[in-house]
Amino acid sequence: MNTAECSELPPIDGARLWRRLEELSAFTRPDVPWTRRAFSPEYTAARAWLRGAFEAAGLQVRLDAAGNLIGCRPGRRNELKPLATGSHTDTVNAGGRFDGILGVLAGLEVAHALNDANITLEHPFEVIDFLCEEPSDYGISCVGSRAMAGQLSADMLAASDGQGDTLGQALQRLGARPEALAEADRRQDGFAAFVELHIEQGPMLEREGLAIGAVTDIVGIRRAQLFFEGRPDHAGTTPMEERSDALVAAACVIRQAQRLARQWSRSTPHYVVATVGRMAVSPNASNTVPGQVDLTLEVRSNHAPLLQEFWELLARRCDPAIARLGVQWRVEPRTHVDPVPCAPLVTAAVEQAALRLGLACRRMPSGAGHDAMYVAHTGPSGMIFIPCLDGRSHSAVEWASPEQVLAGTQVLAATLLDLDQKLG
C-alpha cells in the first residue's frame, strides 16, 4: 500500500508512544533528574536503548560520521530524496522529560505505525536523533545538525572541555568518525523535507487554548561577553560621587537591554528578547565597591536587521551614563546565528494537517534554537509545536499531557504523508 492509495492516517499508538517517553526519560542521573548530557554514561545507555527501539519498528539503523543515530525506512522510489523527522535526546542539567526526545520518539512512532499498517511512502523516510543539540561541555551546541549542514569546523572539533578532552575525542568514543566528517554533510543530496516536533517551551499555545503551532521561523541569536572596569574601593569610606562602580555600570546595560527589548516587542511585528543570564562580580564582597564585572548578554530575534540595530542602539544609550560613572566597558562578540525561515511548504502542510484533524492551530516563531535551523541548509525544513504546562522548559517540571503528545504526533504523521504526496 502507498500513501496515494491510503486516505486515512496510520493509527498512532498513543500508549506505545507514552511508554517509550517514560522509558527513555528514565535514562537520567538519579541525583539530578532529568539530566542526560551528551557523551555521558546515561546518554550512551539511552542511545543503545533507542537503537533497539528503531530496529523493533522495522528501521535500518546507522550511526553517521558525526554521531547522528539514523533509522531509515525504504520508500517506493528510493531515488527520491528522503523525508525526515527527528530531534535530540540529550538534555541540559536538570532539564525536562520532553525537550528533544518527543521529536525523536514521535518520529519513531510514525515509522512504527507505517510499518504496522504496511504503508510504504513514495520517499525514503528517516528518523534522526541528532547528536548533542544542547550546549556541550566543549562549548558547542547542535553538533550533529551542524555537521549535516557542513558547519562543524576543525576548530570546533578541537574545542576542549577545560580538562584536556576535545569534542573530536568525545565523538570517537561515541563511535563517530570525525576524520570522515564530510560523509555526514547532507547539503548535496539533501532532504525532500524535514519536520521537527517539539514542545513550544513558551506559554503562548497554552494561554490561547491552541493545540498546535505551525512554526514560521527560528530566531537568530547574538551573544556577547561584556566587561566593565571600574575601581574597587572601601564601601564605607568612599563617597558616592567619587566611586567608579562597575556593577552600577553593568546595571545600566541590563536595564536598557530590558527596556529596549520590551519596547521593540510592543512596537514592531518581530520577535525580540534580551537576557543577561551569567554575571561575575569582583571582588564580590559586601564591603567593597565592585571594581570589575563580566557578564553575558544574549539577544534573540527573527529579524536579522533588528539583531544588529539592537546592539548599536544599546551602546548609544549606555555610553554617556557609563562614562559619567568613570567606568570603562567593552563588548566581545561570542556567537552569531542568523534567523532561519521555515519553508512555507512545510508550514502550510502543518496548518492543513491540524485543520484536517480538527485541532486549533496558529502560526508562530520559535524563540529557541533547534536542529531544524541547521537542517534547513539541506532542504525544506519546518517545525510543529505543542503546548507545555505553564510554558516551562529546561526544568524538571517540564510537562506535556499524553493527549497533547498524541495530537502533535498525529499532526506530524499527517504532515509527512501530505509532503510525501506533494513532493513525489
Side-chain angles (χ1 to χ4, degrees), residues 226-241:
L226 281 59
F227 298 91
F228 300 83
E229 188 76 31
R231 189 184 67 214
D233 280 307
H234 195 289
T237 60
T238 307
M240 298 302 292
E241 65 273 11

Side-chain angles (χ1 to χ4, degrees), residues 202-226:
M204 299 310 298
L205 291 176
E206 182 183 64
R207 186 173 296 166
E208 298 178 17
L210 302 174
I212 299 294
V215 180
T216 54
D217 41 25
I218 302 172
V219 295
I221 304 172
R222 292 192 66 166
R223 190 177 295 133
Q225 199 165 353
L226 281 59

Side-chain angles (χ1 to χ4, degrees), residues 88-112:
H88 61 97
T89 55
D90 63 312
T91 73
V92 298
N93 285 319
R97 299 173 58 190
F98 299 87
D99 176 3
I101 75 170
L102 169 63
V104 177
L105 295 182
L108 170 59
E109 174 55 33
V110 171
H112 209 152

Side-chain angles (χ1 to χ4, degrees), residues 92 94-100 134 198-202 368 388-399:
V92 298
R97 299 173 58 190
F98 299 87
D99 176 3
E134 303 290 2
H198 209 280
I199 58 170
E200 180 194 349
Q201 299 182 283
C388 53
L389 183 64
D390 296 329
R392 300 288 303 279
S393 183
H394 283 191
S395 164
V397 303
E398 181 181 273
W399 181 259

Side-chain angles (χ1 to χ4, degrees), residues 205 210-215 350 360-364 383-386:
L205 291 176
L210 302 174
I212 299 294
V215 180
V350 172
C361 175
R362 65 164 283 185
R363 291 189 172 214
M364 62 190 306
M383 295 191 70
I384 302 165
F385 280 168
I386 64 168

Side-chain angles (χ1 to χ4, degrees), residues 140-175:
I140 311 298
S141 60
C142 295
V143 171
S145 53
R146 281 180 192 269
M148 283 195 176
Q151 296 185 29
L152 189 62
S153 67
D155 287 345
M156 292 177 180
L157 291 175
S160 170
D161 64 354
Q163 299 180 6
D165 191 42
T166 68
L167 176 59
Q169 291 169 335
L171 285 168
Q172 288 177 328
R173 288 195 299 273
L174 197 70

